[in-house]
Amino acid sequence: MYRFMTYLLVFSAIVPAALFSQITITGKIYKNELSKGLPQVSVSVKGKNISTQTDDMGNYSLNLPAVGEYILLLKQAGTQSSRRILEETIKVSETINIFNVNFNWSEVKIDPIVVYGASRRAEKITESPAAVTAIFNDELEKSSRSGQLAASLASNAGVDVLRNGANDFIVNTRGFSSGLNRRILVLQDGRDVAMPLLGALEWNSFSLPQEDFERMELIKGPAASLYGANAFNGVLLLTSFAPRDVLGTKVSVLAGDYSTLKADVRHAGAFGDFSYKINFGHSSMQNMISRRDSAKFLEYPGLPIEKKVLSKDEKTAFSTYGTLRIDYGLTPQSGLTTEFGYSRSGNEAYVFGLGRTFVRDAERPFARLSYNSQNINFHAHYMSRFTPQNMWLMVPNAPLRDNSKDIMFDFQNNFSILPTINFIWGVTEQLQYIRTYGTSIPNDVDADFTGVYSQAEWQAAPKLKLVGSLRFDYASIHPAYFSPRAAIVYSPWENHQFRFSLNSAFQRPNYSELYRLTPDAPAISPITKRPVNFAQITNVIADSISALSGTKPILDLNLDAMRAKAIGNKDLQVEKILSYEFGYKGTYGNNLFISMDFYYNKLNDFITNFLPQVNTNIKAWSPNLPDSLSAYSSLVKNMVLASLSPRDAARLSEYEGEPVFAVSNANVGKVDEYGVEVELVYQPIERISIKTGYSYFGYKVIENKSSQPLLPNTAPHRANISLAYSNPKKYDAELALQYSDSFKWLAGTYFGKVPAYAVVSLNFGMNITRNLTLGMNIFNLFNTKHYQIFGGTYLPRQATARLSWEF
């Protein structure tokens, strides 16, 4: 792989772009004729993939394909909610190629943030029929100083970003998180990046560095009407830069605490209608996890003891990755994209319902083909996940393997029936092939999923828009499902929106929930903290029967503390959600943005984690005694259960004719959840901004067929506030506080409380030269002792520094 990437870099460096004639224009962007120029202004050509940015003196340079008339688009970052934009027409000739522009803010217009995800087409964020958060590259570039992609979302109201160790993150909105959470559908350039086996994210396996994403969009709330299964609590869209947007070469190196080291190289070039981009990188760091093979090593009470102890070389998390992307422009509005990528990551410990899971090594190659135009979009991808070495369930020290594949096709067409009516329709087909070699799923599984979706938008009045969408999903492993959405968007004034929507969505069971058969934690004596000695217990029971009957019975209860299994449930239904949402977004002047969202959700057929006594197909244990001792069945059962912990007593079951300590899952009931999310961004003066957010989450269990409580694993109150200062092209700094109220956590093996915590982080950056930047991030500045997931490790202070060079 290293040799392959080296060849690609050498090839890209010698591409003969100079063979194509170009005309270079230069100029200066200034606020008035006496100013020295405006830095950090984006200069692009309308209808062309040609762009640049002014330097710290306001100067710019652009290469145009030929003489003629062009429209320059000038944009400068404003508040979180808007950007200033100006269109300037220029005429380029062989002799005239210097164009200076007066970017007078009193003459330019405000360009509201444009989002794509909520309607699968471009629209203003204040006209979107869903709660959407957009994060642009300037913010992603700053947050990349931490080296953690998921951390970019932590400052947004209503978003849970829970961390464990080096790279294990849970990203969720609006409740009911779990280890390896999959309630947020994550798409990278249209490609589902979740592992097919579990549908969850491995945040260290991305094939692109964080700073190579042009934007992130997070849709909060159900979105299955356009995206299908698992868009249950939201959709996260990651859009990477097109090659023409980042022409040239960029090298960055990040280093820091816990032996953190990360290096990335990107090169992009263009010739004619073709453009290309190559990325490759490598990262490594200590995974921060503590050993738990004895009670004396447990960080806090309630954690299960693990059999597996990690060796020294297994404590360094790593990732090696790379991509090659080639774009071909057919017209100014359409083009083809092909992309090939590969990542290899490992030495990660994930908090999972069955205990921590250790991934030693995972390879994830992919290929992507897409066609995009104003009215037609097509996407196809192939992705696989292969583990060359065993993964491990750390509590029972049981091996796991994975060799799963995912193939998907998505065709979409959008058009206008009338000037006031927009219509979208599309078809998706997804094939998944699950192979675990019998380690977690006894038999191979082949599954196919077909979806058909459509949406109509009617501008019923100048200030009123009605939206209706519907999707039908058919699957080979669960019943078909309809996902409707209806929304009313009312904009009484420009850049102000009131929104009401009704959404339905579903989450399909993953293959583990359906078909799993793996070892679970052994039965542990509450007295000795060791596996239960059933031979000794059987002797005590025999003595008791002997004292009562006057005979010496011979008992064989066939109980084994090590015979413990996690068993899937093939009869699971999809989990359903019906959501009522009301929202407001508004921009006040150029310096204040306010967003408020209220929701009430009804969850049905809620799927539990792996728990005891929830699967009605698995019966509770009863002793199998001979007829001569049948009168003592209740005594034997009560004495056995009394010797066990409450959880092990609940786990003791009958499975395939023998006693087993079993956990499984089921559709157990109904839950209502409700909440509010408020976010405010204020820019009192040009270089200072304040961002604050608050979210409240509440829930009520309507029905629960399980003996275990249903817990949302979410803090009822979360808040954040940050103060940022930015001097464009010189330096920036941000101080951020994140607060989480305490909450209870229940996810399979893990049941306990996450105490309240407040974490302060500092982010700082400076431009050493025009093309050389230095940044620093300190997570948990005051080294507050806390954990964010019950089952997760304590998170210490971590400082990282990043140096980037563009040429």
Side-chain angles (χ1 to χ4, degrees):
M1 182 64 187
Y2 293 105
R3 181 178 299 176
F4 172 69
M5 297 307 295
T6 301
Y7 289 161
L8 287 178
L9 182 61
V10 172
F11 170 78
S12 66
I14 62 174
V15 170
L19 295 178
F20 297 87
S21 60
Q22 293 179 327
I23 293 180
T24 300
I25 66 169
T26 60
K28 184 174 183 178
I29 310 299
Y30 53 91
K31 188 173 181 180
N32 56 65
E33 294 182 357
L34 298 178
S35 71
K36 66 177 183 179
L38 291 174
Q40 211 176 14
V41 175
S42 170
V43 184
S44 61
V45 180
K46 190 172 184 178
K48 302 284 186 182
N49 289 323
I50 302 172
S51 64
T52 188
Q53 193 174 66
T54 58
D55 62 17
D56 54 1
M57 299 299 292
N59 299 311
Y60 75 92
S61 176
L62 279 175
N63 292 324
L64 301 178
V67 300
E69 187 172 282
Y70 296 90
I71 298 176
L72 292 184
L73 296 178
L74 309 180
K75 290 187 179 183
Q76 185 180 47
T79 67
Q80 170 74 10
S81 63
S82 62
R83 293 167 184 251
R84 300 179 176 93
I85 183 172
L86 176 70
E87 294 187 6
E88 183 79 7
T89 302
I90 61 173
K91 292 183 179 181
V92 179
S93 67
E94 296 288 351
T95 57
I96 302 177
N97 53 19
I98 298 177
F99 298 94
N100 299 326
V101 181
N102 179 4
F103 200 164
N104 190 332
W105 292 344
S106 64
E107 298 175 358
V108 302
K109 65 177 181 179
I110 296 298
D111 181 33
I113 289 177
V114 174
V115 294
Y116 171 83
S119 297
R120 299 192 70 159
R121 71 174 188 86
E123 62 187 352
K124 295 179 181 179
I125 195 170
T126 51
E127 296 177 356
S128 169
V132 183
T133 295
I135 305 173
F136 295 96
N137 179 257
D138 51 356
E139 297 175 66
L140 294 174
E141 183 78 24
K142 295 173 185 177
S143 61
S144 67
R145 298 164 188 162
S146 70
Q148 303 289 355
L149 177 62
S152 303
L153 297 162
S155 63
N156 293 283
V159 183
D160 290 347
V161 179
L162 308 178
R163 181 178 178 181
N164 166 53
N167 300 296
D168 181 18
F169 286 86
I170 294 174
V171 177
N172 188 39
T173 67
R174 302 181 178 179
F176 288 92
S177 297
S178 64
L180 296 178
N181 185 75
R182 69 185 194 282
R183 292 180 181 271
I184 298 289
L185 178 66
V186 180
L187 302 177
Q188 177 184 326
D189 295 314
R191 178 176 63 90
D192 187 350
V193 294
M195 64 174 82
L197 176 62
L198 298 174
L201 267 292
E202 294 173 294
W203 289 96
N204 201 32
S205 68
F206 281 82
S207 54
L208 285 174
Q210 178 176 339
E211 61 269 23
D212 204 57
F213 290 109
E214 185 266 334
R215 64 194 288 130
M216 296 171 62
E217 287 185 28
L218 177 63
I219 305 167
K220 293 183 288 186
S225 62
L226 292 180
Y227 291 96
N230 300 343
F232 192 84
N233 279 348
V235 178
L236 177 62
L237 303 176
L238 304 172
T239 304
S240 63
F241 278 114
R244 290 187 185 274
D245 293 334
V246 287
L247 296 177
T249 302
K250 181 177 182 179
V251 179
S252 64
V253 178
L254 181 144
D257 293 334
Y258 300 93
S259 302
T260 300
L261 182 63
K262 187 174 186 288
D264 288 288
V265 178
R266 179 187 72 208
H267 176 75
F271 49 97
D273 294 326
F274 285 93
S275 57
Y276 65 94
K277 183 179 67 172
I278 299 171
N279 289 80
F280 61 90
H282 177 79
S283 68
S284 64
M285 71 176 298
Q286 294 180 24
N287 58 25
M288 298 184 185
I289 66 173
S290 303
R291 60 186 296 186
R292 294 178 179 173
D293 56 300
S294 171
K296 66 181 180 181
F297 296 124
L298 300 181
E299 296 100 305
Y300 42 90
L303 299 175
I305 296 174
E306 300 171 346
K307 281 190 174 183
K308 182 172 178 58
V309 180
L310 300 183
S311 63
K312 184 177 180 179
D313 68 323
E314 291 176 325
K315 291 185 178 181
T316 301
F318 68 90
S319 180
T320 301
Y321 46 88
T323 62
L324 168 63
R325 172 172 168 171
I326 301 173
D327 287 9
Y328 176 64
L330 298 171
T331 70
Q333 291 80 33
S334 64
L336 288 168
T337 295
T338 58
E339 186 176 23
F340 306 91
Y342 171 87
S343 70
R344 185 167 190 169
S345 61
N347 290 348
E348 296 284 1
Y350 298 102
V351 174
F352 187 33
L354 297 177
R356 292 193 300 187
T357 301
F358 179 71
V359 179
R360 182 70 176 87
D361 197 359
E363 296 184 27
R364 302 192 67 172
F366 77 90
R368 176 173 71 93
L369 172 67
S370 66
Y371 167 79
N372 295 285
S373 67
Q374 287 185 319
N375 301 110
I376 294 177
N377 298 284
F378 172 78
H379 168 91
H381 75 246
Y382 163 86
M383 178 186 71
S384 70
R385 181 180 187 269
F386 172 65
T387 54
Q389 303 182 56
N390 285 336
M391 303 179 290
W392 295 92
L393 288 173
M394 296 181 68
V395 172
N397 198 22
L400 303 172
R401 296 295 295 273
D402 185 18
N403 186 12
S404 302
K405 297 176 174 59
D406 180 276
I407 300 172
M408 185 173 183
F409 306 90
D410 187 346
F411 173 85
Q412 176 204 321
N413 176 220
N414 64 84
F415 54 91
S416 297
I417 301 176
L418 295 171
T420 57
I421 299 179
N422 296 311
F423 190 78
I424 297 171
W425 70 276
V427 179
T428 65
E429 178 68 22
Q430 185 176 23
L431 307 171
Q432 291 187 336
Y433 306 94
I434 308 301
R435 305 289 185 268
T436 69
Y437 308 105
T439 58
S440 61
I441 296 176
N443 302 310
D444 295 344
V445 180
D446 296 344
D448 66 89
F449 310 93
T450 303
V452 180
Y453 60 91
S454 64
Q455 175 171 287
E457 298 180 20
W458 177 33
Q459 195 69 44
K463 298 180 180 181
L464 179 65
K465 181 170 71 173
L466 306 179
V467 180
S469 53
L470 178 66
R471 179 173 174 127
F472 172 78
D473 282 278
Y474 166 82
S476 61
I477 63 171
H478 64 74
Y481 192 77
F482 282 97
S483 304
R485 175 176 72 173
I488 301 173
V489 181
Y490 177 60
S491 305
W493 314 283
E494 185 178 6
N495 295 330
H496 292 266
Q497 175 218 68
F498 294 92
R499 181 192 76 255
F500 176 78
S501 63
L502 176 67
N503 301 273
S504 177
F506 71 102
Q507 178 174 277
R508 64 191 181 211
N510 65 33
Y511 299 99
S512 172
E513 292 170 332
L514 289 167
Y515 308 116
R516 176 176 284 274
L517 184 60
T518 60
D520 193 27
I524 300 297
S525 167
I527 299 174
T528 66
K529 306 302 180 183
R530 297 178 179 275
V532 177
N533 187 340
F534 280 109
Q536 185 179 51
I537 292 172
T538 301
N539 290 335
V540 172
I541 294 174
D543 290 342
S544 299
I545 295 177
S546 177
L548 293 172
S549 65
T551 62
K552 182 66 175 179
I554 298 176
L555 289 179
D556 182 10
L557 300 178
N558 192 24
L559 293 171
D560 185 346
M562 307 306 294
R563 193 187 299 132
K565 297 182 183 297
I567 305 165
N569 185 352
K570 297 180 181 180
D571 297 331
L572 288 176
Q573 301 294 308
V574 299
E575 187 174 345
K576 309 173 185 67
I577 184 171
L578 180 64
S579 177
Y580 304 87
E581 294 186 26
F582 173 79
Y584 165 78
K585 282 186 174 66
T587 302
Y588 296 83
N590 290 333
N591 61 353
L592 179 62
F593 173 72
I594 297 176
S595 173
M596 294 184 290
D597 294 292
F598 306 85
Y599 61 88
Y600 184 88
N601 299 335
K602 301 183 73 66
L603 279 68
N604 291 290
D605 293 322
F606 187 89
I607 298 176
T608 66
N609 290 285
F610 280 86
L611 298 171
Q613 297 183 355
V614 293
N615 186 345
T616 57
N617 297 322
I618 301 175
K619 304 300 182 183
W621 173 79
S622 292
N624 184 16
L625 301 178
D627 292 341
S628 59
L629 299 175
S630 59
Y632 300 101
S633 291
S634 296
L635 173 67
V636 172
K637 183 174 183 178
N638 291 335
M639 291 185 69
V640 168
L641 296 180
S643 67
L644 302 175
S645 67
R647 184 173 187 273
D648 287 337
R651 285 197 302 160
L652 187 53
S653 309
E654 292 182 8
Y655 181 72
E656 295 185 344
E658 62 180 0
V660 172
F661 289 91
V663 292
S664 186
N665 46 36
N667 302 98
V668 296
K670 303 175 181 179
V671 178
D672 288 357
E673 47 183 27
Y674 42 88
V676 58
E677 301 157 355
V678 181
E679 190 164 273
L680 181 149
V681 181
Y682 177 56
Q683 192 173 18
I685 59 177
E686 184 178 344
R687 294 179 179 177
I688 293 179
S689 64
I690 301 170
K691 180 178 180 179
T692 182
Y694 166 78
S695 61
Y696 167 77
F697 175 87
Y699 75 103
K700 181 179 180 181
V701 177
I702 305 301
E703 177 183 285
N704 182 11
K705 300 176 184 178
S706 163
S707 60
Q708 303 290 317
L710 296 178
L711 296 178
N713 299 338
T714 301
H717 303 277
R718 287 185 180 271
N720 61 76
I721 185 170
S722 64
L723 174 66
Y725 175 85
S726 178
N727 189 341
K729 285 299 181 179
K730 290 186 178 181
Y731 48 85
D732 64 84
E734 181 181 42
L735 188 66
L737 168 67
Q738 294 176 351
Y739 169 79
S740 171
D741 200 1
S742 64
F743 60 97
K744 291 182 179 180
W745 182 278
L746 174 59
T749 301
Y750 298 108
F751 181 32
K753 183 179 181 180
V754 179
Y757 59 86
V759 177
V760 176
S761 298
L762 176 65
N763 196 313
F764 172 80
M766 63 179 295
N767 287 70
I768 301 174
T769 67
R770 177 183 176 185
N771 298 324
L772 185 64
T773 61
L774 174 65
M776 176 176 287
N777 184 84
I778 305 177
F779 167 76
N780 194 5
L781 180 64
F782 300 114
N783 203 22
T784 304
K785 189 175 182 180
H786 76 291
Y787 54 90
Q788 299 179 358
I789 305 167
F790 191 87
T793 189
Y794 283 113
L795 299 176
R797 176 172 53 226
Q798 184 182 15
T800 53
R802 180 171 173 267
L803 189 67
S804 297
W805 181 34
E806 295 186 63
F807 56 94

